[in-house]
C-alpha cells in the first residue's frame, strides 16, 4: 500500500499539468435562406490558440480563441450579383475527456460552449453597379463539441488533429477542422 501511495504522486505529476498550443485549418459555415431564400455556404482559412490544464490522464479543461476568417458566398443571376461575407471569431471553454492509446497517442472528445461574434456584409450589384451594401453584427453563446487525436513526440511536444462543431442557432452548421502543435509543461 505504501509503494502504491508513494508512486501515485509521481504518476499524477507525469500525466498532469498545463499545456498550450496553436493551430491552423479550414473554417466552414452554411445556412439556409440567409437572404431572399438563398442558401449560404462558405469557408475560409482559420486559426486558433488554446491552453488548458490536464488534471489526470483522462480529464482536462481547455480554453481557446478561434478566428474563422471571413467565409463568403457569391450568387450571380446574370444581371444581379450578390456577395455575402461573414467574419466569425469566438472564445471556447470545454471539458476534455481523454483516452490514452499507447505511450505516444491519445484520442479526445470535448464538450463546452462558444461565445461567438459574427460581422457580416452583403453587397448587391445590378449590372456591375453597387445597389445595396449592408453590414450586420451578431453575437451569442452556444454549444460546442470536438473530437480528435494527439501524437506526442516527446513528453512536452506533440501534434493534434481536431474536428470541432458549433451549434450556432443562425446557421445549419459551423465547423473547424484543424491541425495544431501542442506544448505541455
Amino acid at each position: 500500500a505504501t509503494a502504491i501511495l508513494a508512486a501515485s504522486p509521481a504518476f499524477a505529476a507525469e500525466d498532469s499539468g498545463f499545456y498550450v498550443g496553436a493551430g491552423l485549418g479550414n473554417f466552414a459555415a452554411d445556412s439556409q435562406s440567409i437572404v431572399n431564400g438563398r442558401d449560404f455556404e462558405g469557408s475560409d482559412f482559420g486559426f486558433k490558440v488554446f491552453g488548458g490544464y490536464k488534471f489526470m490522464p483522462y480529464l482536462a479543461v481547455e480554453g481557446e480563441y478561434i478566428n474563422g476568417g471571413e467565409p463568403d458566398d457569391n450568387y450571380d443571376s446574370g444581371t444581379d450579383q450578390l456577395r455575402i461575407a461573414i467574419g466569425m471569431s469566438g472564445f471556447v471553454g470545454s471539458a476534455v475527456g481523454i483516452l490514452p492509446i499507447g505511450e505516444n497517442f491519445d484520442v479526445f472528445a470535448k464538450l463546452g460552449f462558444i461565445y461567438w461574434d459574427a460581422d457580416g456584409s452583403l453587397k448587391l450589384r445590378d449590372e456591375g453597379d453597387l445597389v445595396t451594401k449592408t453590414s450586420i453584427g451578431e453575437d451569442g453563446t452556444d454549444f460546442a463539441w470536438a473530437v480528435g487525436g494527439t501524437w506526442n513526440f516527446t513528453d512536452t511536444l506533440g501534434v493534434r488533429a481536431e474536428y470541432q462543431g458549433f451549434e450556432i442557432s443562425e446557421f445549419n452548421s459551423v465547423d473547424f477542422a484543424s491541425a495544431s502543435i501542442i506544448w505541455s509543461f
Side-chain angles (χ1 to χ4, degrees), residues 47-59:
F47 71 90
K48 68 179 178 174
V49 292
F50 58 92
Y53 184 78
K54 193 173 183 182
F55 294 102
M56 58 184 75
Y58 307 103
L59 181 64

Side-chain angles (χ1 to χ4, degrees), residues 11-182:
F11 178 76
E14 183 177 296
D15 291 326
S16 65
F18 289 99
Y19 62 90
V20 295
L24 305 170
N26 184 58
F27 188 89
D30 72 68
S31 181
Q32 292 179 342
S33 300
I34 197 163
V35 175
N36 296 334
R38 297 181 183 195
D39 296 343
F40 173 85
E41 186 172 321
S43 64
D44 198 6
F45 179 76
F47 71 90
K48 68 179 178 174
V49 292
F50 58 92
Y53 184 78
K54 193 173 183 182
F55 294 102
M56 58 184 75
Y58 307 103
L59 181 64
V61 293
E62 186 172 297
E64 61 190 312
Y65 170 75
I66 295 175
N67 186 312
E70 191 172 275
D72 67 341
D73 205 351
N74 296 298
Y75 307 97
D76 192 346
S77 68
T79 58
D80 295 336
Q81 298 88 31
L82 176 65
R83 180 180 186 271
I84 301 171
I86 300 172
M88 297 187 76
S89 61
F91 293 94
V92 181
S94 303
V96 185
I98 305 162
L99 178 61
I101 301 175
E103 285 187 32
N104 296 336
F105 185 71
D106 59 55
V107 294
F108 62 89
K110 299 191 313 188
L111 294 175
F113 292 93
I114 181 171
Y115 173 72
W116 56 271
D117 182 56
D119 296 314
S121 67
L122 177 139
K123 293 179 185 174
L124 177 62
R125 294 184 181 275
D126 182 17
E127 295 183 9
D129 296 327
L130 184 62
V131 176
T132 303
K133 181 178 178 181
T134 306
S135 296
I136 58 166
E138 294 283 331
D139 60 25
T141 303
D142 288 292
F143 180 69
W145 58 272
V147 293
T150 304
W151 180 264
N152 298 303
F153 296 112
T154 68
D155 288 340
T156 59
L157 184 64
V159 293
R160 173 192 274 192
E162 182 174 6
Y163 178 81
Q164 295 175 274
F166 309 103
E167 304 297 322
I168 297 175
S169 56
E170 285 76 10
F171 294 89
N172 294 345
S173 70
V174 176
D175 53 50
F176 186 39
S178 63
S180 303
I181 294 177
I182 187 168

